[in-house]
Amino acid sequence: MAFEDLLEDPVIQKYLHELVGPKGMPVAAAPPDGEVTDEELSEELDLELNDVRRALFILYENDLATYRRLRDEDSGWLTYLWTFQYDNIPENLEEEMYRLYDALEDRREYERTHEFYLCEICSIRFEFGEAMDFGFECPECGSPLESMDNDRLVTSMDDRLDALEDELNIDGADA
């Protein structure tokens, strides 16, 4: 997928936004060709230097940018030249989807194997042991705790897991 096509994809835009946040999005959304310094990006995008550096470091941590250092012979100052490498985005997104799948599977199992009680006034949920410790009364408001049916939540998790299995081409029985 071409560099420009990647940046037009709303899923990738959302992914970059989640990584670098709103202040770093101008940095992530307009990668220059070739190498660039953080100072050049800051000036070009009219952003605070610290915001640019934060975004660059996050991109670096996620294998979406690299840098090389040059030392000024006279002053001894280091200059970092940054290069954007968005070819890794599809692979990173797939890894994120696998992490989501694993976490959702764990959560579904937790929901299936625990009994919950709810304070309908405070909207606080308790596991059975906690509810029993509190005498089945909400510790915040004193209202009785009601048994909570989480079947709709588990069904929703099942649906999401099925969709992820289709997307990732995995068999739910093997996962």
Side-chain angles (χ1 to χ4, degrees):
M1 185 178 276
F3 211 54
E4 295 78 23
D5 294 340
L6 276 174
L7 294 176
E8 290 178 15
D9 185 328
V11 172
I12 290 173
Q13 289 176 6
K14 173 87 171 140
Y15 171 68
L16 289 171
H17 189 272
E18 289 294 318
L19 284 178
V20 299
K23 288 184 177 180
M25 195 57 191
V27 176
D33 292 329
E35 294 180 318
V36 66
T37 67
D38 49 6
E39 290 91 354
E40 290 168 343
L41 278 174
S42 176
E43 189 174 312
E44 182 181 319
L45 299 171
D46 194 29
L47 294 171
E48 294 289 325
L49 186 57
N50 283 343
D51 293 334
V52 171
R53 287 178 175 161
R54 180 183 171 280
L56 288 169
F57 185 70
I58 290 169
L59 293 172
Y60 171 75
E61 284 182 321
N62 288 278
D63 297 324
L64 300 177
T66 59
Y67 66 87
R68 66 183 180 99
R69 292 185 300 209
L70 296 177
R71 184 176 298 277
D72 184 285
E73 294 296 325
D74 297 328
S75 68
W77 286 88
L78 289 174
T79 299
Y80 290 82
L81 296 170
W82 291 89
T83 306
F84 290 74
Q85 297 182 324
Y86 283 2
D87 295 341
N88 296 334
I89 288 178
E91 183 180 310
N92 288 7
L93 283 173
E94 186 173 352
E95 288 174 13
E96 284 291 319
M97 289 174 68
Y98 275 106
R99 277 196 290 275
L100 173 62
Y101 182 85
D102 291 342
L104 197 53
E105 253 192 341
D106 291 345
R107 183 59 188 226
R108 178 187 59 185
E109 186 61 26
Y110 173 78
E111 292 292 331
R112 283 182 172 167
T113 58
H114 289 80
E115 187 177 338
F116 298 97
Y117 287 80
L118 176 70
C119 172
E120 294 180 356
I121 305 298
C122 299
S123 298
I124 300 175
R125 189 172 86 149
F126 302 90
E127 287 183 17
F128 175 78
E130 293 173 303
M132 194 167 75
D133 290 345
F134 294 126
F136 296 94
E137 286 185 0
C138 177
E140 298 293 317
C141 70
S143 297
L145 300 178
E146 302 294 330
S147 179
M148 180 183 169
D149 177 15
N150 64 348
D151 289 344
R152 283 183 38 209
L153 178 61
V154 171
T155 300
S156 177
M157 290 177 176
D158 288 337
D159 293 344
R160 183 68 177 119
L161 284 165
D162 289 344
L164 284 168
E165 288 167 3
D166 289 345
E167 182 76 24
L168 295 170
N169 295 317
I170 55 178
D171 181 9
D174 296 339

